């Protein structure tokens, strides 16, 4: 049995505007797939815990739309939205992604789920941005709030789960 | 977002090379002249100079003259700008995925 890599691997291929994330889960493909496609489930895990997911929709079909609104402890809301491209399958899910804090700067996301056997799954996620500046801007959205709090907060959070 | 697209390209381009990363690691310990780097990395002087030029254009090092010696000095700020967004991204996804781990154990 291969060891599960439960620390996300993040790659930034040089000369591209892409970010790739690889992460293993101790759960079968169908569960990981549902956790990404059922908005009620997505709302339970997307983002750090201190960001409240106040709205989460996802139409898992070609041409469907998705939205996510996250509220930080100061009451600021961070909105995201996009369109699903092709019917999502475990082999290939594709969608566009736009942070409303930087409207018009749309990235394209793909996700592939790899069956590792023994009820385990590897997620291969990719985001292709329009430019390096867009990619960096993304990291400055709601995503940046967590960094100061660091992992101490995460440890605390995990202890309460 | 302290840097422009072009600046970031230069920084990431400069960092893409293993020898240049090793040179930066050396400069993080002490300012060093070309002769010193040539000896440390067992490379020709023109090859070292070429790498230093790339690092200088990217703003990752500055060069100062001390008597007859020209010392290279690490400039940490662009490095910090270029990596901070990645740290933010990592934190976001690490935390999200740890929550997903937990959710997956609770799903039917």
């Amino acid at each position: 049995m291969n060891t599960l890599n439960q620390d996300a691997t993040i790659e930034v291929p040089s000369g591209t505007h892409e970010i790739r994330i690889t992460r293993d889960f101790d759960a079968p493909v169908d569960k990981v797939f549902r956790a990404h496609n059922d908005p009620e489930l997505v709302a339970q895990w997307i983002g750090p815990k201190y960001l409240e997911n106040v709205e989460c929709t996802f139409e898992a079909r070609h041409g469907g739309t998705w939205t996510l609104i996250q509220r930080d402890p100061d009451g600021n809301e961070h909105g995201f939205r996009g369109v699903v491209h092709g019917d999502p399958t475990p082999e290939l899910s594709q969608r566009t992604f736009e942070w409303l804090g930087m409207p018009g700067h749309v990235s394209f996301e793909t996700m592939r789920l790899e069956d590792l056997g023994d009820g385990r799954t590897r997620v291969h996620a990719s985001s292709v941005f329009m430019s390096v500046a867009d990619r960096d801007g993304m990291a400055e959205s709601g995503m940046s709030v967590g960094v100061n709090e660091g992992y101490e907060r995460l440890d605390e959070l995990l202890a309460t789960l | 977002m302290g840097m422009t697209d072009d600046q970031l390209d230069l920084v990431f381009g400069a960092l893409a090379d293993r020898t240049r990363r090793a040179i930066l690691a050396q400069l993080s310990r002490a300012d060093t002249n070309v002769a010193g780097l040539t000896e440390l990395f067992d490379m020709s002087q023109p090859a070292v100079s070429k790498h230093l030029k790339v690092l200088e254009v990217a703003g990752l090092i500055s060069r100062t003259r001390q008597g007859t010696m020209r010392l290279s000095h690490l400039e940490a700020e662009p490095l910090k700008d270029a990596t901070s967004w990645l740290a933010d991204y990592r934190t976001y996804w690490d935390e999200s995925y740890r929550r997903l781990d937990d959710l997956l154990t609770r799903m039917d």
Side-chain angles (χ1 to χ4, degrees):
Chain A
M1 225 164 97
N2 301 323
T3 13
L4 280 188
N5 181 10
Q6 290 186 283
D7 287 318
T9 304
I10 301 185
E11 293 170 280
V12 186
S14 65
T16 73
H17 304 146
E18 185 183 4
I19 298 179
R20 286 186 209 151
I21 306 185
T22 313
R23 171 65 149 79
D24 296 350
F25 292 91
D26 191 11
V29 166
D30 69 292
K31 271 195 193 180
V32 177
F33 185 68
R34 269 197 291 144
H36 279 86
N37 281 273
D38 177 343
E40 282 184 31
L41 295 176
V42 174
Q44 292 179 48
W45 68 267
I46 193 83
K49 199 170 186 179
Y50 64 87
L51 287 178
E52 186 192 351
N53 292 323
V54 290
E55 189 185 311
C56 184
T57 69
F58 189 80
E59 297 173 316
R61 58 170 175 81
H62 176 64
T65 64
W66 67 270
T67 57
L68 173 66
I69 298 174
Q70 298 184 314
R71 188 184 292 146
D72 68 28
D74 297 328
N76 304 310
E77 289 192 347
H78 308 273
F80 307 87
R81 70 177 179 190
V83 176
V84 176
H85 197 96
D87 290 331
T89 65
E91 291 75 33
L92 183 62
S93 301
Q94 305 177 104
R95 64 178 194 176
T96 57
F97 177 105
E98 183 182 26
W99 171 37
L100 297 180
M102 213 163 72
H105 295 257
V106 180
S107 60
F108 187 66
E109 300 192 333
T110 61
M111 186 183 70
R112 295 168 203 276
L113 302 183
E114 180 186 352
D115 189 347
L116 296 178
D118 301 313
R120 300 165 313 152
T121 304
R122 180 166 295 160
V123 171
H124 300 269
S126 155
S127 296
V128 179
F129 295 84
M130 288 164 70
S131 67
V132 173
D134 278 9
R135 185 190 61 193
D136 301 351
M138 186 56 241
E140 298 211 340
S141 68
M143 289 186 174
S144 64
V145 192
V147 88
N148 298 328
E149 321 246 340
Y151 288 94
E152 279 171 28
R153 177 140 194 176
L154 177 62
D155 291 335
E156 247 170 64
L157 179 148
L158 288 169
T160 64
L161 290 176
Chain B
M1 239 196 300
M3 302 176 89
T4 67
D5 232 10
D6 288 346
Q7 285 173 314
L8 277 166
D9 279 348
L10 286 174
V11 171
F12 279 109
L15 293 175
D17 183 89
R18 181 178 304 211
T19 305
R20 288 197 286 272
R21 290 197 298 270
I23 290 174
L24 289 176
Q26 166 59 28
L27 296 180
S28 74
R29 291 188 285 273
D31 291 359
T32 315
N33 67 3
V34 176
L37 292 170
T38 302
E39 198 182 312
L40 275 169
F41 293 99
D42 196 19
M43 287 170 67
S44 70
Q45 195 146 324
V48 168
S49 295
K50 205 172 143 194
H51 284 308
L52 291 177
K53 187 78 206 161
V54 175
L55 291 168
E56 190 175 24
V57 169
L60 290 166
I61 64 166
S62 58
R63 290 198 266 185
T64 53
R65 211 170 268 284
Q66 206 174 71
T68 55
M69 285 221 297
R70 210 169 168 217
L71 290 174
S72 293
H73 171 78
L74 178 71
E75 296 291 340
E77 202 57 34
L79 210 54
K80 212 175 113 237
D81 280 356
T83 54
S84 66
W85 67 267
L86 196 56
D88 295 349
Y89 201 82
R90 173 177 296 283
T91 303
Y92 186 93
W93 285 106
D94 274 342
E95 293 199 26
S96 294
Y97 282 150
R98 280 175 219 277
R99 296 177 69 194
L100 179 53
D101 285 334
D102 180 63
L103 171 68
L104 288 165
T105 63
R106 289 187 278 111
M107 279 169 67
D108 300 326

